[in-house]
Amino acid sequence: MHTLTAKFQLSPNVTRLDVEARRIAEIRQPGQFVIVRRGIGAERIPLTIADADPAAGTIALVIQAVGKSTRELVALAAGEAILDISGPLGHPSEMISSGRALCVGGGVGTAVVHPIAQGLHQRGVEVISIIGGRSREWVIFEEELRRLGQVVVCTDDGSYGRKGFVTDATREVLEAGGVDIVYAVGPVPMMRAVANLTRPFGVRTIVSLNPVMVDGTGMCGGCRVDIGGQTKFACVDGPEFDGHLVDFDLLAERLGTYREFEQQANTPCDAGTCRVGLTHPTPTPIPQS
Ligand code: NAD
Ligand code: FES
């Protein structure tokens, strides 16, 4: 069991849970993730380790509450517990050890960029972060990233920072020159756009992919992605890949596979009328042990 030590609302639908997981806090590296199961019978949810405090023995998990399982997870209160946390999983981020790195975070993806920026900063790399949200209340991890270097904040509606997508600011920084590597994490269209921007500049670009995951050990094939014409499993070969080689069309298509089931789970229907063959028993609390 992993007790929640703290809970913070970062944006209207993004929550940070600080959870006891001493061993993971000690050995995790930037880019790695865990798979969380709230209770017996609960869905397995992959989550990036957004931060860790080895002294306190806690890790920070950042959750966008979009479906039934993520809503149930963020409903937990400090003092309650998660049944199991597997990890750290996945390859650590590819790191440079000098020069200048541009870290681009879109929405909740900013939480995934944070540990990468931490790792780069620790190695003495100059970090510039460009982070974006729909409007002011959707911008997350700004304060944490300001401790690691320069931060440019963008909002779609101009309510905070500069108006526009993160890609607008990214283009300007690339044109100014001197960027050795780019990391981009966020919605698929954003990562695709960043990769397309950096390609003509010949700047290596790492993206973190979030396909559907089940086991997280390379056994089920649920997380397969196409990288330069080769099938890779994001859980064991990634989750970070060369953005210039990712088949973003296939990724977007596969991410939509279960959309109808997700919508159905969000709107329970009357018995006998379910269009996608789901049963909707009366919700019962998930046992914790
Ligand atoms: P969002 O839609 O609010 O977008 C966040 C920011 O990304 C925007 O403010 C903008 O700056 C940028 N952006 C969005 N679309 C863009 C485009 N077409 N071109 C250029 N820039 C663009 O994001 P959100 O709601 O916080 O994130 C939701 C998405 O992020 C989900 O699809 C989720 O699956 C994905 N996600 C990805 C990862 C990952 O590891 N790659 C992690 C968590 C979430
Ligand atoms: Fe099953 Fe990656 S999650 S192979």
Side-chain angles (χ1 to χ4, degrees):
M1 298 294 282
H2 301 268
T3 304
L4 265 65
T5 59
K7 176 176 170 176
F8 309 92
Q9 194 70 37
L10 302 185
S11 82
N13 77 343
V14 177
T15 305
R16 168 177 168 154
L17 301 180
D18 287 358
V19 188
E20 283 177 354
R22 182 164 297 282
R23 183 70 182 135
I24 297 173
E26 286 168 356
I27 64 173
R28 66 97 198 199
Q29 294 185 59
Q32 291 187 299
F33 66 99
V34 291
I35 289 190
V36 167
R37 205 166 54 117
R38 190 192 143 202
I40 293 168
E43 189 182 358
R44 296 160 61 80
I45 305 173
L47 296 167
T48 298
I49 307 164
D51 204 349
D53 183 343
T58 59
I59 58 172
L61 304 175
V62 174
I63 300 144
Q64 188 175 37
V66 286
K68 181 173 177 289
S69 298
T70 45
R71 282 203 312 275
E72 287 174 351
L73 197 55
V74 301
L76 290 171
E80 293 188 288
I82 291 171
L83 177 62
D84 51 41
I85 301 179
S86 312
L89 301 170
H91 282 292
S93 304
E94 174 185 323
M95 291 273 155
I96 55 173
S97 50
S98 62
R100 181 188 286 168
L102 182 57
C103 295
V104 188
V108 68
T110 308
V112 182
V113 153
H114 174 252
I116 301 171
Q118 271 182 329
L120 292 163
H121 179 71
Q122 280 163 7
R123 284 165 176 76
V125 175
E126 181 191 349
V127 177
I128 301 174
S129 300
I130 299 176
I131 61 175
R134 292 166 222 174
S135 57
R136 184 179 191 128
E137 70 267 33
W138 295 91
V139 174
I140 65 170
F141 272 81
E142 179 189 354
E143 199 183 312
E144 291 86 342
L145 287 165
R146 285 204 187 279
R147 291 184 208 124
L148 308 173
Q150 185 192 339
V151 177
V152 179
V153 180
C154 311
T155 49
D156 301 3
D157 63 2
S159 55
Y160 185 49
R162 53 178 288 173
K163 188 177 192 307
F165 283 173
V166 286
T167 38
D168 302 334
T170 299
R171 183 184 294 108
E172 289 174 22
V173 174
L174 287 168
E175 283 169 354
V179 175
D180 297 298
I181 191 165
V182 172
Y183 300 84
V185 191
V188 171
M190 179 221 120
M191 294 190 288
R192 184 208 308 257
V194 172
N196 286 340
L197 272 178
T198 58
R199 191 174 280 112
F201 290 92
V203 177
R204 183 153 176 78
T205 300
I206 307 294
V207 295
S208 181
L209 305 187
N210 64 327
V212 172
M213 284 192 190
V214 183
D215 61 312
T217 63
M219 299 286 284
C220 73
C223 67
R224 63 189 182 277
V225 289
D226 185 297
I227 310 295
Q230 290 190 312
T231 297
K232 299 281 182 188
F233 292 165
C235 66
V236 289
D237 299 320
E240 293 177 10
F241 295 100
D242 182 340
H244 296 149
L245 299 179
V246 173
D247 184 337
F248 287 107
D249 288 336
L250 184 67
L251 176 66
E253 186 191 317
R254 286 184 53 79
L255 277 170
T257 305
Y258 298 104
R259 194 157 292 143
E260 194 175 359
F261 287 89
E262 287 162 4
Q263 284 167 355
Q264 197 73 30
N266 278 332
T267 45
C269 50
D270 295 333
T273 62
C274 181
R275 285 175 298 118
V276 290
L278 292 177
T279 54
H280 298 291
T282 307
T284 49
I286 294 173
Q288 293 289 316
S289 61

